[in-house]
Amino acid sequence: MTWETVIGLETHVQLSTKTKLFSRASTTFGKSPNTNVNLIDCGLPGVLPSVNKEAFYKAIRFGMAVGAQINQTSIFDRKNYFYADLPKGYQITQMDLPIVLGGTIDIEAGDGIKTVNITRAHLEEDAGKSIHDEFDGYSAIDLNRAGTPLLEIVSEPEISNAKEAVAYMKAMHQLVTYLDVSDGNMAQGSLRCDANVSIRKNGDKELGTRTEIKNINSFKFVEKAINFEIKRQIKVLESGEKVTQETRLYDSVKDETRPMRSKEFANDYRYFPEPDLLPVVISDEEMQKIKDEFPELPNEKEIRYQKQFKLSAYDAQIIASSKSMADFFESAAKQTKNYTLLSNWLIGEVSAYLNKELIEINESKLNVDNVAMLINRIDDQTISGKIGKTIFEEMCINGTSPDEIIESQGLKQISDDGAIEEIIDTVIKDNSPQVKAYLEGKDKLFGFFVGQVMKLTQGKANPTAVNTILKEKLKK
Amino acid sequence: MLDHKSISSSELIQETFRLAKQYQDLNCFVTMNEDRGIKKAHSIDQADSSHSQLSGIPMAQKDLFCTEGLRTTCSSKILSNFIPPYTATAVQKLEEAGSIIVGKTNMDEFAMGSSNETSYFGNVHNPWRKGYVPGGSSGGSAAAVAAGIVSAATGTDTGGSIRQPAAHCGITGLKPTYGRVSRWGMIAFASSLDQAGPLARTAEDCAILLNAMSGHDLKDTTSLDVETPDFLASINQPVKGLKIGIIKEFDLGDLDSEVQARFEESKNLYEKLGAEFIEISLPNISASVPTYYSIAPAECSSNLSRFDGVRFGHRADNTEDLNDLYIKSRSEGFGEEVKRRILIGTYALSAGYYDAYYKKAQQVRRLIKNDFEEAFNSVDLMMTPTSPNTAFAFGSKGAQNPIELYLEDLFTISSNLAGLPAISIPHGMVHSLPSGLQLIGNFLQEDKILNAAHIFQQNSEFHLAKPSMEDF
Amino acid sequence: MDQETVRTICYLARLEIDKEKSEKIENDLETIIQLIGGLQAIDTSEVEPLYSPLEKTALKHEDIEASDNQKEKFLKNAAASNKDYFLVPRVVE
């Protein structure tokens, strides 16, 4: 029996507005509990919401980037349900007439590019946070997050496996960070997704019963949760049972999905248009301004990097693929002329480090000045590339500048020909058997001599000079 | 207007508190504001600056308006301990104009009722007859003005809750155009219907109060971005040539003969003053009551969800889990009428019923609004009795069948649905109890109805009648 | 309105009705439903619902912080809270 998987993803993107969707409280992450809370966010009696225009502009930017239809008139609706972190007992969202309709996004799928259709994207307010295990017998409610603008992006059920789901999420992440729609910080909850997963027999037209896995907040968990769920559903169907339509949570510790308790009782959300807000209209002028101020997208950057910085197509693509990396590159490129060396380092050493630590460049201790300085010191031969790697390690740990490290550890490259000649003479004098062997044809020994020079100079000898002078001295 | 030469603010406020105590059997106040009230009166007396019209005027504020630091209950158990951290815009504007809050007035719980019999704090008495309802939901405010404790009060009107108690208590009450007065801080019952407005003895006083209360508020998206005219400016215009519509579909023949008689007499007075009466048709107006009772409960069922015992208000003891907390807190905290309306509203919005009830009602609402728009092409304003009946004895209506009380709103409800301004003025007694006359104006034309009301009062004395208060 | 429906809407509204009062409440609800059901007779085909008496559109405000946070006051109003959080009976997900 071969099974086919059908996945639809609902992505919740926290917008990077300074204030909330319906109040002017700050959205800054990490504040002490219940301090980013206005009267409106607390859902006090008598308060009324009012619309943050920047949230709409960001949503529209997203819509334009995916080629969607923008509904210049859109409506807010109330979604009614009870939960401790939902102060009003309803969430203000968009149901019948969302701001964005349709659109497509390209993802990397196995053997090429796959275009996934977007059903719609709408604005809604985020709920607060409940903390269940910190206070004995109680759950604690923090409303800092309540009212933060979310853009909920719904894909058509066109994703076929976990890897594609991850690719979709990555493409979404790149797009929203590029557009300055969201900071995309998944650890802080800026990007989460619900995965709707169902399976059916290969060739079947009808969709199988789907389950919804809620609130997955990392690429890794997206892949694991979906893979687990697919396996689970296959097992259920192969044993002759039916898949229950339900909402599940992914437990990353046990690497499994399980049903959510609070969703036992079917909820009727009783949507109706929000009477405290009227239809929101975006004028043609506002639309034009959004178009005029549209940021540069990844593929445009790639092309420009090849032209402006003479990067190879391959290098340009890698640098441009991450907004934080691209921004870093361009800032550093203001302080150094060796763009190729800079991009090599970013793609090589820097990326390796970031991948190991699972952080973005703007979350590391590396700053533009220091990296540019490192490139310049290698470029002007103050240090060798090899020493550069040592310095880089120090930079990552402490954020110290290369000049400080070179100074304090005495790492300057020895480039003075005279000094190098002296050392080479010493090496030749002290290693006559090897010299003899080399002159008799053992060419591989050349590396040995280089190594000896490096040893005597603690790696600081300028490799090019060493090679040249050594070759001279060992001329047969 | 307070004549500061003949009486100081402090003297006036002391007298007000004395009267409130004397007539406490009326039960029109839930919370008094003595300390702060006296302090403010004192500072007004000390101030050198010239006094505005409302300077030093004691006012009763309906307990639906949030007042910072002063308990606000909506006459409900669920808010019986709620101290708001902010003040409603409408109240703030009145305070900035110099008025002093005397206290928060009793009302039907969460503004749901037409008789002030659903309050957690007990019924309010009609000053004209003990044991009789003052009307609702702004019963406390109307009684306080009628008894002469204060000369001005605020109310809110969702289906007639300012106009109807004004009629039952023999005073004047105005519901402005929807959006004229900010709803920020006004605890919501039905968001698309609620409006705040003044209650006083005369149309002129209502105009002064409305001047102060009105205005665009950025905190209320549904407040109108229009200049507030001076509602006193045209209040003395003669009514000669004024075209007043009589609504054909309101068959007054079924009403008490005395009610009909008062209406005819008022019509005659206007005709004598030169107004012209035209019969107009509002074909869908008889659907007003069912339309309202689909929409208002639906909106209220959602607006009252925030009363869950978590962040403020009554929380039940000994609850097992979160759901239990919700169910017990809300069931203990809300009275019967509120529960009824929440349940109806929940039903009207629920899957499978939304189209038939809520959506349908909003469609009929548009028809009703269109009817008004059409009719205002041929008239300046419309006239009806405010209420089919006068005040009645406690418990004599609605106990068996809630619809009985709903039908008390027959004449007032349609202007809420259409968002139109309307005023009720006293126009005589019916079986020794006050009866009210309603004037409905076109969108943003409060000045026209205030003018017509004022001229009526210049040519009659009904608004000057005061209850004897001998039973209190 | 059958028992099942009443139970469902009571749960959705997080309300419970006393056993003694339940029959009266059910009758009342039935009566009111009949009242509002009378609207079915009116022809509203092609009529747009009127969700607000205002034919205007929403104001939008600038994305600039204007805080009126009063954390202590908010927490003080709650029946159960500590210096940082509102507290409710523990929820198990």
Side-chain angles (χ1 to χ4, degrees):
Chain A
M1 181 81 64
T2 39
W3 299 96
E4 169 182 74
T5 311
V6 176
I7 301 168
L9 292 175
E10 283 167 27
T11 313
H12 289 91
V13 178
Q14 235 177 44
L15 300 183
S16 53
T17 53
K18 296 200 204 66
T19 60
K20 299 193 177 177
L21 184 53
F22 299 118
S23 88
R24 314 256 306 253
S26 160
T27 52
T28 314
F29 184 82
K31 287 294 208 24
S32 83
N34 288 305
T35 48
N36 280 351
V37 179
N38 269 359
L39 296 166
I40 296 168
D41 311 313
C42 198
L44 287 178
V47 298
L48 297 168
S50 101
V51 181
N52 180 339
K53 60 168 72 158
E54 188 61 32
F56 268 86
Y57 297 164
K58 288 190 194 276
I60 291 170
R61 263 215 299 282
F62 171 82
M64 287 177 176
V66 298
Q69 170 190 325
I70 310 294
N71 286 329
Q72 282 178 252
T73 299
S74 67
I75 295 185
F76 281 108
D77 298 287
R78 290 192 188 179
K79 177 180 181 181
N80 296 281
Y81 66 97
F82 282 90
Y83 198 59
D85 58 22
L86 191 69
K88 298 186 293 296
Y90 58 86
Q91 176 197 37
I92 304 179
T93 176
Q94 294 187 302
M95 180 62 174
D96 287 338
L97 199 55
I99 179 71
V100 166
L101 218 48
T104 61
I105 191 159
D106 287 341
I107 67 174
E108 283 175 28
D111 42 357
I113 306 285
K114 176 170 174 172
T115 302
V116 176
N117 284 299
I118 293 169
T119 316
R120 47 179 276 155
H122 68 259
L123 286 166
E124 61 183 27
E125 53 177 349
D126 209 345
K129 270 213 185 98
S130 313
I131 298 155
H132 300 299
D133 33 35
E134 215 172 286
F135 302 96
D136 200 25
Y138 288 106
S139 286
I141 311 296
D142 173 12
L143 295 178
N144 277 353
R145 199 182 65 179
T148 305
L150 291 178
L151 185 65
E152 180 178 320
I153 305 162
V154 183
S155 83
E156 290 287 319
E158 293 172 356
I159 295 166
S160 321
N161 57 56
K163 282 218 156 18
E164 280 183 16
V166 174
Y168 175 90
M169 291 302 294
K170 285 195 167 152
M172 198 56 81
H173 179 272
Q174 183 192 62
L175 189 58
V176 299
T177 49
Y178 248 96
L179 293 170
D180 188 22
V181 159
S182 168
D183 66 20
N185 190 329
M186 295 182 85
Q188 291 181 359
S190 302
L191 193 71
R192 352 192 255 263
C193 85
D194 299 340
N196 291 298
V197 182
S198 70
I199 58 173
R200 62 184 171 192
K201 290 194 211 121
N202 234 335
D204 257 4
K205 286 265 152 56
E206 261 189 58
L207 289 171
T209 310
R210 64 179 164 88
T211 59
E212 188 185 9
I213 312 168
K214 283 198 87 65
N215 276 329
I216 312 172
N217 63 355
S218 83
F219 299 137
K220 194 166 79 176
F221 295 162
V222 166
E223 188 165 2
K224 282 171 170 262
I226 291 177
N227 278 333
F228 177 89
E229 186 59 18
I230 293 170
K231 280 204 191 75
R232 187 191 74 87
Q233 288 194 15
I234 291 176
K235 214 152 114 188
V236 166
L237 290 176
E238 275 179 347
S239 68
E241 317 237 327
K242 286 205 165 83
V243 171
T244 321
Q245 177 168 7
E246 60 189 352
T247 313
R248 300 173 76 89
L249 278 181
Y250 176 66
D251 183 332
S252 57
V253 172
K254 295 193 182 147
D255 189 22
E256 63 178 25
T257 67
R258 52 185 160 75
M260 260 180 94
R261 280 193 55 175
S262 52
K263 300 277 178 166
E264 269 162 35
F265 210 110
N267 234 325
D268 176 358
Y269 294 117
R270 290 155 282 139
Y271 292 94
F272 70 100
E274 170 59 80
D276 290 332
L277 295 170
L278 301 163
V280 180
V281 167
I282 306 293
S283 67
D284 291 339
E285 289 79 42
E286 287 171 294
M287 292 289 283
Q288 189 55 53
K289 188 155 187 276
I290 298 169
K291 282 198 188 102
D292 291 341
E293 293 174 1
F294 211 76
E296 195 182 34
L297 289 180
N299 46 338
E300 290 163 359
K301 264 209 210 306
E302 271 177 56
I303 296 169
R304 182 165 66 83
Y305 285 178
Q306 291 174 64
K307 279 214 190 83
Q308 185 181 348
F309 301 106
K310 308 280 188 283
L311 297 187
S312 71
Y314 178 77
D315 288 358
Q317 194 225 5
I318 299 189
I319 302 270
S321 69
S322 151
K323 175 120 197 296
S324 53
M325 183 65 81
D327 285 348
F328 195 97
F329 172 78
E330 287 191 56
S331 296
K334 289 196 185 117
Q335 295 184 42
T336 175
K337 290 278 177 297
N338 197 334
Y339 306 131
T340 312
L341 189 61
L342 173 62
S343 88
N344 286 343
W345 266 84
L346 289 173
I347 294 171
E349 295 292 318
V350 175
S351 291
Y353 170 72
L354 297 175
N355 285 334
K356 188 172 119 221
E357 301 295 316
L358 291 177
I359 53 177
E360 298 272 314
I361 198 164
N362 50 3
E363 295 166 317
S364 74
K365 286 208 164 73
L366 297 168
N367 65 46
V368 167
D369 296 336
N370 286 350
V371 171
M373 190 187 287
L374 181 67
I375 301 302
N376 284 333
R377 295 295 167 267
I378 299 173
D379 185 50
D380 70 19
Q381 312 248 355
T382 308
I383 51 169
S384 66
K386 192 147 177 234
I387 294 289
K389 288 190 181 160
T390 317
I391 292 173
F392 177 71
E393 273 175 44
E394 178 74 27
M395 278 164 63
C396 288
I397 297 169
N398 293 319
T400 332
S401 82
D403 277 350
E404 276 179 69
I405 301 170
I406 292 171
E407 184 67 39
S408 67
Q409 294 184 29
L411 295 174
K412 270 209 176 106
Q413 188 167 242
I414 303 170
S415 294
D416 175 40
D417 283 359
I420 290 180
E421 228 189 290
E422 257 185 61
I423 305 224
I424 288 176
D425 287 342
T426 312
V427 167
I428 291 178
K429 198 175 82 186
D430 291 347
N431 294 284
S432 15
Q434 287 85 346
V435 174
K436 191 159 172 268
Y438 175 80
L439 290 173
E440 282 170 0
K442 285 228 165 84
D443 290 338
K444 278 203 185 117
L445 282 171
F446 190 82
F448 167 77
F449 296 121
V450 175
Q452 288 303 302
V453 174
M454 287 305 177
K455 207 162 119 194
L456 285 177
T457 60
Q458 289 109 38
K460 286 185 282 191
N462 184 321
T464 321
V466 170
N467 268 315
T468 315
I469 298 172
L470 200 52
K471 270 214 183 81
E472 257 306 310
K473 296 264 170 183
L474 292 174
K475 244 201 229 147
K476 302 185 201 192
Chain B
M1 174 78 174
L2 183 60
D3 178 3
H4 288 263
K5 288 188 227 69
S6 60
I7 181 171
S8 70
S9 296
S10 301
E11 286 169 312
L12 181 56
I13 201 83
Q14 295 284 16
E15 175 63 10
T16 307
F17 285 121
R18 190 194 68 74
L19 283 168
K21 278 198 188 73
Q22 180 180 354
Y23 297 137
Q24 62 192 349
D25 284 355
L26 281 173
N27 198 24
C28 47
F29 285 100
V30 172
T31 307
M32 299 305 285
N33 189 37
E34 269 191 72
D35 289 339
R36 281 165 32 167
I38 292 172
K39 244 198 204 128
K40 182 164 183 188
H42 187 70
S43 62
I44 288 176
D45 284 334
Q46 302 287 56
D48 266 335
S49 51
S50 62
H51 297 289
S52 60
Q53 279 185 313
L54 289 176
S55 179
I57 298 289
M59 279 194 70
Q61 299 289 352
K62 186 174 183 178
D63 208 12
L64 189 75
F65 294 100
C66 285
T67 43
E68 184 179 352
L70 184 61
R71 183 175 71 152
T72 301
T73 70
C74 297
S75 286
S76 174
K77 177 177 177 175
I78 214 167
L79 282 182
S80 52
N81 61 356
F82 178 59
I83 315 268
Y86 75 110
T87 299
T89 300
V91 173
Q92 190 159 356
K93 284 168 102 82
L94 288 165
E95 285 198 288
E96 280 165 10
S99 75
I100 305 175
I101 302 178
V102 170
K104 308 300 290 299
T105 57
N106 205 347
M107 48 184 276
D108 274 307
E109 187 183 1
F110 283 108
M112 298 183 207
S114 314
S115 61
N116 218 134
E117 291 180 285
T118 66
S119 163
Y120 175 63
F121 298 100
N123 294 355
V124 173
H125 289 261
N126 189 318
W128 289 88
R129 193 176 296 177
K130 199 166 192 178
Y132 272 57
V133 304
S137 61
S138 311
S141 285
V145 172
I149 300 173
V150 290
S151 57
T154 53
T156 64
D157 192 311
T158 306
S161 294
I162 287 175
R163 293 162 284 162
Q164 193 248 42
H168 285 350
C169 290
I171 59 166
T172 303
L174 171 76
K175 178 198 93 68
T177 307
Y178 182 86
R180 175 71 82 185
V181 178
S182 166
R183 290 188 300 117
W184 174 261
M186 208 173 106
I187 298 176
F189 158 20
S191 314
S192 73
L193 299 164
D194 294 342
Q195 249 317 256
L199 290 105
R201 297 215 87 89
T202 65
E204 196 176 358
D205 283 352
C206 284
I208 295 171
L209 293 166
L210 190 63
N211 274 348
M213 289 172 82
S214 305
H216 180 53
D217 184 4
L218 289 172
K219 297 195 285 292
D220 175 3
T221 301
T222 59
S223 82
L224 288 166
D225 191 0
V226 292
E227 277 282 326
T228 305
D230 177 1
F231 294 111
L232 285 169
S234 51
I235 207 164
N236 280 305
Q237 294 268 64
V239 297
K240 193 169 189 331
L242 193 69
K243 294 196 176 66
I244 305 180
I246 299 287
I247 302 166
K248 185 170 91 171
E249 286 80 6
F250 280 155
D251 183 4
L252 305 184
D254 287 332
L255 301 178
D256 182 299
S257 57
E258 286 293 294
V259 173
Q260 290 183 55
R262 295 300 86 75
F263 191 74
E264 276 308 307
E265 288 153 20
S266 297
K267 202 160 159 252
N268 294 336
L269 177 51
Y270 270 121
E271 275 171 331
K272 211 175 80 191
L273 294 169
E276 191 193 323
F277 282 88
I278 300 175
E279 191 186 68
I280 49 160
S281 172
L282 299 176
N284 293 288
I285 198 139
S286 48
S288 305
V289 174
T291 302
Y292 175 87
Y293 281 99
S294 296
I295 298 169
E299 292 181 4
C300 103
S301 70
S302 178
N303 284 329
L304 267 58
S305 293
R306 66 191 64 199
F307 302 104
D308 55 13
V310 174
R311 287 145 297 115
F312 50 82
H314 173 74
R315 184 191 285 206
D317 296 322
N318 303 318
T319 52
E320 289 170 10
D321 56 31
L322 189 60
N323 265 334
D324 200 31
L325 186 148
Y326 289 147
I327 294 172
K328 289 213 168 67
S329 302
R330 288 164 62 83
S331 304
E332 286 172 12
F334 289 137
E336 246 175 69
E337 182 60 31
V338 170
K339 281 187 192 150
R340 241 193 310 265
R341 300 212 191 182
I342 293 175
L343 292 174
I344 289 291
T346 307
Y347 183 74
L349 290 174
S350 59
Y353 298 107
Y354 178 91
D355 284 353
Y357 294 113
Y358 183 73
K359 186 170 175 207
K360 184 77 179 178
Q362 299 284 36
Q363 287 170 306
V364 176
R365 181 182 190 172
R366 186 176 290 279
L367 293 178
I368 293 172
K369 181 169 189 259
N370 292 347
D371 287 352
F372 273 108
E373 256 173 51
E374 180 65 37
F376 273 115
N377 285 328
S378 33
V379 295
D380 295 306
L381 38 103
M382 302 176 189
M383 193 172 98
T384 76
T386 305
S387 172
N389 300 297
T390 57
F392 45 88
F394 289 163
S396 63
K397 269 205 168 76
Q400 299 304 338
N401 181 356
I403 311 253
E404 252 191 308
L405 275 174
Y406 296 173
L407 291 173
E408 291 288 302
D409 302 327
L410 184 61
F411 298 126
T412 49
I413 261 178
S414 47
S415 26
N416 298 86
L417 291 170
L420 300 173
I423 190 171
S424 174
I425 54 176
H427 70 156
M429 307 297 272
V430 165
H431 309 305
S432 314
L433 286 166
S435 173
L437 181 71
Q438 177 181 233
L439 298 171
I440 304 171
N442 204 349
F443 206 70
L444 292 177
Q445 292 189 359
E446 290 89 338
D447 54 349
K448 275 211 179 116
I449 54 175
L450 282 163
N451 163 227
H454 177 69
I455 299 298
F456 185 98
Q457 289 177 345
Q458 296 289 77
N459 289 278
S460 63
E461 291 186 346
F462 307 114
H463 59 289
L464 299 173
K466 288 195 169 77
S468 72
M469 301 302 291
E470 61 196 13
D471 285 335
F472 294 100
Chain C
M1 262 222 305
D2 57 60
Q3 289 275 333
E4 185 62 40
T5 311
V6 177
R7 239 175 307 147
T8 308
I9 62 173
C10 279
Y11 183 73
L12 285 175
R14 298 300 187 277
L15 291 173
E16 66 188 355
I17 320 174
D18 295 333
K19 280 232 154 56
E20 319 94 62
K21 297 205 182 121
S22 66
E23 204 186 317
K24 165 112 201 338
I25 295 245
E26 278 168 42
N27 288 336
D28 286 345
L29 296 180
E30 195 59 63
T31 316
I32 301 170
I33 304 277
Q34 267 194 30
L35 169 72
I36 64 182
L39 295 176
Q40 292 305 306
I42 304 177
D43 179 13
T44 53
S45 47
E46 313 292 312
V47 180
E48 274 300 306
L50 184 70
Y51 294 112
S52 168
L54 301 176
E55 305 282 21
K56 82 188 256 279
T57 57
L59 283 171
K60 307 189 289 285
H61 68 251
E62 298 292 330
D63 187 28
I64 301 171
E65 188 183 337
S67 178
D68 54 31
N69 175 255
Q70 304 172 64
K71 177 173 171 174
E72 290 82 41
K73 279 206 183 131
F74 293 163
L75 291 172
K76 211 171 76 177
N77 258 318
S81 62
N82 60 27
K83 73 169 175 47
D84 281 324
Y85 296 100
F86 301 100
L87 297 174
V88 295
R90 182 145 179 274
V91 176
V92 186
E93 277 271 307

